Amino acid sequence: MADNGSETQMDVRRPSQHQHFTFCTWRQIEDKLAELGLALPYAGDVSALAQPQQAGPLSLPNAIAIHPVEGCDGSADGRPEALTLRRYERFARGGAGLIWLEATAVVHEGRANPRQLWLHERTAGDFARMCELIVESAADEFGAAHRPIMVAQLTHSGRYSRPEGVAAPIIAYRHPILDPRHNLPEDYPVISDEELDRLQDAYVEAARIARRAGFDAVDVKACHGYLLYELLNAFTREDGRYGGSYENRTRMLREVVARIRDEVPGIAIVSRLSVYDAMPHPYGFGMAPDGSMEPDLTEPVRLIAELRELGVCLINVAYGSPYYNPHVERPYDTHEIGGYVPDEHPLADIATMVEIHRDLAAQAPQMPLLATGFTWLREFSPNVAAALVEAGEAVGAGWGRMALAHPDFAREIIEQGALTPTNLCICCSSCTQIMRDGGRAGCVVRDHEVYEPIYREGQMRNRAVMRALAEVCRDCHAPTCQTGCPAAVDIPGFVTAIAAGDERAAYEVLRASNPLPEMCAYVCPSSTLCEAQCVQAHIGSGSVPIRALQRYVCELARAEGWTRLDAPAELRERRVAVIGAGPAGIGAAIGLLGEGLRVTIIDAGARPGGIAAETIPGDRLEAGAAPAEVMAILDGCDAERLEWRMGTRMGADLTVDDLFAEGFDAVFVGVGLTEGVRLPGAHRPESGVEDALSFLRRMKSNGETRIEGAVAVLGAGNTAMDAATTAARAGARDVYLVYRRSFAEMPAWPAERDEALAAGVHFLLLTQPLDYVTDHAGRLTGVRVASTMLGDPDESGRRSPVVDEATERVLPVDLAIEAIGQRPPADLAQWLPDVELTRTGLIALREESLQTSREGVFAGGDIVNGGETVVRAVAEGLRAAEEIARYLEEG
């Protein structure tokens, strides 16, 4: 390294090749370093990492930190959810002295993904509970004397913002390298000085909330290409207060720090700061002004000194950007299998980072520095980190991916003085791949029970993977898979289109038979329908993954804007009212709009999607997926063509008679089975008993994540399985599924049963629920049950259960969920006069038609078939639209 006055230069482009980690001893690493002309510090004794450290007002129990590594597992409004809390509880129990939380947005539009954490007033309580969990878990494991320091990392993703899952960049200046990669036009707007001024307020408010939640410090993040760091590079930003000169480029960071210091007393301020960008000047901070790839630490050192004067007490040193690599022509492409492999040996990158870190420590000796970037060194990483701490060049070291793989790594370093190689991160980047695929991130290898399914699901969005899976289809002449589809979709047609690389054509094939293909792809029981009929299941390694391929194409179609309904230009005068915005109603509405008819959709809910969207658990049908698909399809329909009457309930004040009086020419009824069936003959207590639909709706809409005590679910259909699985995953101590028949008679789909079993649900078969048991206050304390034996078949063909009264007993539970069945709305006949109903209260239809006994009234979906698949409901809605169009044409 050459020291030329105030500029520091070094060779960062050493000609070496990438290599996997194959070292068994430090001597082997030293030999490789010597071959590359490099060096790394090494301490044989790592006890320095176990010693307490001080960084300004922050007293660290030891020199080991959890590095900020994002899980993408928060809620839609930025709350830490179950997997978030699980990660940080594990980190706290691992023994690290500093827990530097992941990137947490200060405004919604600055979120890097739809599940990124976000500090705002409505999430303040959730973050407070997370801080309490961290402190309590650490104390529970190590005693009250061990209290980890907690840092909230405040961020705005800037150019990499994706708050709704699609790119929504907010840029600080025109960038000739990155703008084309983001497909940004030349006139793409640049964030204004006034917007940056307002953004300062958001940082201050987030810091205020962080302090109230219990954080010890906030990190004003300025690294890895995000907005505050991009401003440090804004040499070419035109007139204003935030670009051009050093003073202007650093203004945002300095002023945010100063305001937090002045307006949020009592919280420490730190910063994760990139000091070397690996992108040539004038588009990289800490780069030589001659445009080379050499670093120049003059400005970073100056900025660190100024930040110290403003009150920053710790710098977490960062390098480069995960979104840019100078060795490749474009960033990572999620449509390829795997990512780029850097030309340089990883030791060259690590040696460069350590060299820059040591140079910063020498030039800014008064600022405590946290070293990072050692995970690739596996079991030797503590030795390099300890050497920096011993030399006084670092106050500690942070590990990110290592912590995901091995949350107890700090304990091992402190108690054993070494790491167990078989527990460690193998640097496979699968955790990063999950994030790129839009999933909740964690270690696929060491924490595979949780994250392998998430990883594999994410791969179902990878274009190369999906095309390879589609190639397995034999494109049968007489496809048996199609016979298993209620909508008669041309399955070989859409699958082979994917294999040929024409996803848009595949989507058009799907939509020709199923107007809501994405929703069906989430919830359709493919393993018992189309995939069960696939010939590859018998002659290959398994059936073609039809459902996964359909979901992939539909998600892509929505993202690319292929979903919009192409309605006829000519609008007919006839009007049709569609009651119910579930699968049947939306299917009918799409079909009617396609016929050029005017449509009014009436529904009691706030958003389209029906009972399925409200109650099917989020891991199978995310809360916004169904409404998003519906709105994407109907986006082009103006108010003259389509009217929405959401939040409008049919009843005594609004009947079908009223609709005809209003001028509608036909009515389609597609409401669901909205009411649960109660346990016959039972005395329902004041509290502790809930119907399954209400339970699932509450758990999904309110974002509840915890259930205490034991739960009994009465029933064995798909809704019962959803309720049982949801309760188990929400933390219930025990979940009992009480069913009066045997396993063979269960009406639930096999995949649903398997999911409940995997979640730990106890199946109490041949057990009849009889009544509820309560305490003196009327609260549920148990369910009275008795064993059964199977007698002769009943009218459904299943053997009837016979109760053995001598086996009567009480099952102690805190919550009972009735999932015995669903029935039509109680007031259906009131608002549907002159329409014949069946013995079970369903709507009766004329033969060969979806028309009811009343002229001009049609029906389809669960209210007719008693509760079948979503795809059947959609198919019936679409067929009803054809019947209505024919009826109106003939009339």
Side-chain angles (χ1 to χ4, degrees):
M1 179 171 63
D3 186 357
N4 299 321
S6 63
E7 294 186 2
T8 303
Q9 296 185 340
M10 62 189 74
D11 178 13
V12 296
R13 299 298 301 271
R14 300 176 177 89
S16 54
Q17 294 182 343
H18 179 79
Q19 178 180 330
H20 293 295
F21 191 90
T22 58
F23 307 106
C24 298
T25 66
W26 180 253
R27 179 58 184 270
Q28 292 174 337
I29 294 178
E30 283 186 317
D31 290 343
K32 187 63 179 181
L33 287 166
E35 176 187 326
L36 298 171
L38 303 170
L40 283 174
Y42 179 85
D45 179 0
V46 300
S47 60
L49 297 178
Q51 301 306 309
Q53 302 290 328
Q54 196 72 31
L58 302 176
S59 298
L60 314 181
N62 54 57
I64 302 172
I66 301 295
H67 193 56
V69 56
E70 195 169 350
C72 303
D73 48 20
S75 67
D77 62 353
R79 306 170 192 272
E81 290 199 317
L83 286 179
T84 322
L85 299 175
R86 177 180 182 269
R87 279 190 297 116
Y88 284 101
E89 180 179 5
R90 282 155 61 93
F91 293 161
R93 293 184 182 278
L98 172 60
I99 298 181
W100 201 302
L101 272 75
E102 65 202 74
T104 301
V106 298
V107 291
H108 174 69
E109 60 271 20
R111 298 171 79 186
N113 63 78
R115 289 194 291 267
Q116 185 174 43
L117 300 184
W118 173 22
L119 264 170
H120 55 100
E121 195 60 45
R122 293 191 304 280
T123 63
D126 300 271
F127 280 95
R129 286 186 285 275
M130 183 167 72
C131 288
E132 291 171 3
L133 175 66
I134 291 172
V135 172
E136 291 170 359
S137 299
D140 182 57
E141 202 73 28
F142 302 102
H146 177 87
R147 200 278 195 186
I149 295 297
M150 297 175 292
V151 176
Q153 184 176 70
L154 308 184
T155 190
H156 186 298
S157 298
R159 184 176 293 273
Y160 303 98
S161 295
R162 300 171 63 90
E164 307 299 336
V166 295
I170 297 174
I171 64 173
Y173 65 96
R174 307 263 181 248
H175 199 303
I177 300 173
L178 296 180
D179 285 2
R181 295 184 180 183
H182 290 254
N183 298 315
L184 301 183
E186 293 183 1
D187 60 350
Y188 193 83
V190 170
I191 188 170
S192 68
D193 284 5
E194 292 72 25
E195 290 172 305
L196 290 170
D197 291 340
R198 289 192 295 272
L199 186 58
Q200 287 194 21
D201 297 335
Y203 273 92
V204 174
E205 179 61 19
R208 188 176 290 114
I209 294 170
R211 182 184 184 281
R212 198 167 74 236
F215 287 98
D216 303 288
V218 290
D219 164 17
V220 184
K221 182 181 181 182
C223 65
H224 294 163
Y226 297 119
L227 183 60
L228 263 60
Y229 182 67
E230 182 163 298
L231 285 165
L232 298 180
N233 303 329
F235 293 89
T236 60
R237 181 179 170 94
E238 297 177 357
D239 299 337
R241 300 175 61 246
Y242 293 104
S245 68
Y246 168 85
E247 288 75 12
N248 283 349
R249 287 183 287 110
T250 61
R251 183 186 304 278
M252 183 73 175
L253 177 57
R254 289 184 292 104
E255 290 188 354
V256 167
V257 167
R259 287 191 58 187
I260 293 174
R261 177 200 61 194
D262 295 339
E263 299 177 40
V264 193
I267 195 162
I269 307 172
V270 301
S271 183
R272 177 134 167 81
L273 177 68
S274 283
V275 297
Y276 167 67
D277 200 27
M279 186 177 290
H281 181 86
Y283 303 106
F285 186 62
M287 301 300 296
D290 62 5
S292 70
M293 294 300 293
E294 301 294 335
D296 180 346
L297 300 183
T298 305
E299 287 194 347
V301 169
R302 177 182 173 184
L303 179 58
I304 289 172
E306 292 173 354
L307 291 175
R308 181 176 177 275
E309 290 297 319
L310 291 170
V312 172
C313 64
L314 177 64
I315 294 291
N316 184 328
V317 185
Y319 318 85
S321 169
Y323 303 103
Y324 172 75
N325 189 294
H327 302 298
V328 293
E329 294 183 355
R330 56 195 172 90
Y332 189 99
D333 186 346
T334 57
H335 296 152
E336 295 179 355
I337 301 177
Y340 63 75
V341 176
D343 292 338
E344 288 193 324
H345 194 287
L347 284 172
D349 292 330
I350 295 170
T352 297
M353 290 190 293
V354 170
E355 194 170 9
I356 292 174
H357 181 101
R358 300 181 83 175
D359 196 15
L360 280 175
Q363 296 192 57
Q366 302 304 314
M367 175 64 82
L369 302 179
L370 186 74
T372 57
F374 303 133
T375 290
W376 189 86
L377 292 170
R378 300 341 192 251
E379 63 266 34
F380 304 106
S381 60
N383 303 90
V384 176
L388 293 175
V389 174
E390 261 185 8
E393 295 169 322
V395 74
W399 283 261
R401 290 180 296 169
M402 180 76 79
L404 290 179
H406 185 27
D408 285 337
F409 79 98
R411 184 201 300 269
E412 281 196 355
I413 293 173
I414 294 169
E415 296 180 357
Q416 300 175 191
L419 291 173
T420 304
T422 52
N423 291 338
L424 307 183
C425 171
I426 64 171
C427 297
C428 64
S429 292
S430 295
C431 55
T432 303
Q433 185 61 47
I434 290 178
M435 287 192 288
R436 297 186 187 281
D437 291 336
R440 295 167 170 84
C443 184
V444 179
V445 176
R446 308 299 187 196
D447 202 3
H448 55 83
E449 288 186 359
V450 173
Y451 291 104
E452 183 179 348
I454 298 173
Y455 171 78
R456 294 195 179 282
E457 180 183 352
Q459 287 293 280
M460 296 297 101
R461 297 183 176 92
N462 186 305
R463 182 169 293 174
V465 170
M466 300 313 287
R467 288 177 177 176
L469 291 174
E471 290 174 357
V472 176
C473 180
R474 301 177 68 86
D475 194 15
C476 300
H477 169 65
T480 52
C481 58
Q482 192 169 355
T483 65
C485 176
V489 169
D490 178 7
I491 295 171
F494 98 80
V495 173
T496 55
I498 296 172
D502 194 345
E503 281 84 0
R504 182 159 193 171
Y507 180 72
E508 294 301 333
V509 171
L510 278 168
R511 196 164 68 172
S513 302
N514 183 353
L516 287 176
E518 183 177 355
M519 185 176 180
C520 293
Y522 275 101
V523 301
C524 185
S526 57
S527 60
T528 62
L529 296 177
C530 54
E531 291 178 15
Q533 306 297 324
C534 177
V535 298
Q536 281 296 115
H538 310 294
I539 60 177
S541 58
S543 62
V544 174
I546 299 168
R547 176 181 174 183
L549 290 166
Q550 180 170 330
R551 181 172 170 178
Y552 156 69
V553 165
C554 293
E555 289 182 351
L556 180 63
R558 181 153 55 89
E560 296 292 335
W562 303 338
T563 57
R564 180 176 292 189
L565 178 67
D566 185 18
E570 184 178 351
L571 183 60
R572 297 163 62 182
E573 290 301 320
R574 296 297 187 95
R575 299 171 63 206
V576 181
V578 173
I579 304 173
I586 296 300
I590 292 172
L592 293 165
L593 290 165
E595 296 284 348
L597 295 164
R598 301 169 190 265
V599 175
T600 296
I601 300 175
I602 303 168
D603 193 274
R607 298 193 299 176
I611 295 173
E614 293 174 348
T615 63
I616 292 177
D619 58 343
R620 289 199 293 121
L621 182 60
E622 292 187 5
E629 181 186 22
V630 171
M631 301 314 294
I633 293 170
L634 301 179
D635 182 52
C637 297
D638 57 32
E640 187 179 9
R641 191 179 296 270
L642 173 62
E643 178 191 4
W644 291 93
R645 294 187 190 176
M646 303 304 293
T648 302
R649 185 179 299 277
M650 300 296 296
D653 296 331
L654 181 62
T655 70
V656 168
D657 287 341
D658 296 323
L659 296 179
F660 281 118
E662 187 180 334
F664 287 100
D665 300 288
V667 174
F668 174 78
V669 182
V671 296
L673 306 180
T674 58
E675 298 186 10
V677 176
R678 294 189 172 187
L679 179 62
H683 172 69
R684 193 167 185 174
E686 295 294 328
S687 62
V689 178
E690 190 172 6
D691 73 86
L693 293 180
S694 297
F695 170 76
L696 290 168
R697 189 178 287 113
R698 174 168 61 86
M699 294 296 290
K700 188 170 184 177
S701 64
N702 294 346
E704 296 190 30
T705 57
R706 299 296 300 173
I707 291 180
E708 305 293 338
V711 177
V713 178
L714 314 183
N718 294 322
T719 302
M721 297 300 164
D722 281 342
T725 302
T726 297
R729 290 176 177 167
R733 184 180 69 248
D734 288 295
V735 178
Y736 305 98
L737 191 134
V738 184
Y739 180 51
R740 59 184 183 162
R741 291 187 171 94
S742 73
F743 197 84
E745 281 82 22
M746 280 188 176
W749 299 325
E752 295 283 294
R753 297 199 306 256
D754 293 346
E755 190 172 356
L757 286 167
V761 174
H762 311 302
F763 281 42
L764 298 188
L765 305 178
L766 296 172
T767 304
Q768 173 76 52
L770 302 172
D771 203 350
Y772 299 115
V773 180
T774 61
D775 62 14
H776 66 279
R779 293 185 297 263
L780 179 77
T781 60
V783 178
R784 195 177 304 280
V785 300
S787 297
T788 64
M789 296 175 290
L790 295 182
D792 295 331
D794 60 15
E795 60 184 15
S796 70
R798 293 180 297 171
R799 296 174 64 188
S800 299
V802 179
V803 175
D804 181 357
E805 296 180 358
T807 63
E808 187 174 313
R809 60 200 182 277
V810 174
L811 177 66
V813 294
D814 304 281
L815 173 65
I817 301 172
E818 294 176 332
I820 300 167
Q822 281 82 53
R823 61 188 180 189
D827 61 350
L828 180 65
Q830 183 180 25
W831 56 262
L832 202 59
D834 301 326
V835 171
E836 180 184 349
L837 303 180
T838 69
R839 178 177 56 83
T840 57
L842 302 174
I843 295 177
L845 300 179
R846 297 178 182 176
E847 292 185 7
E848 307 300 327
S849 170
L850 289 174
Q851 188 167 185
T852 69
S853 58
R854 179 169 178 171
E855 189 75 15
V857 178
F858 297 74
D862 290 356
I863 198 65
V864 170
N865 61 46
E868 291 285 344
T869 62
V870 169
V871 68
R872 177 174 173 181
V874 173
E876 288 183 1
L878 194 62
R879 186 159 67 89
E882 296 173 355
E883 296 284 347
I884 292 171
R886 185 179 300 112
Y887 166 80
L888 295 176
E889 188 69 30
E890 293 173 353

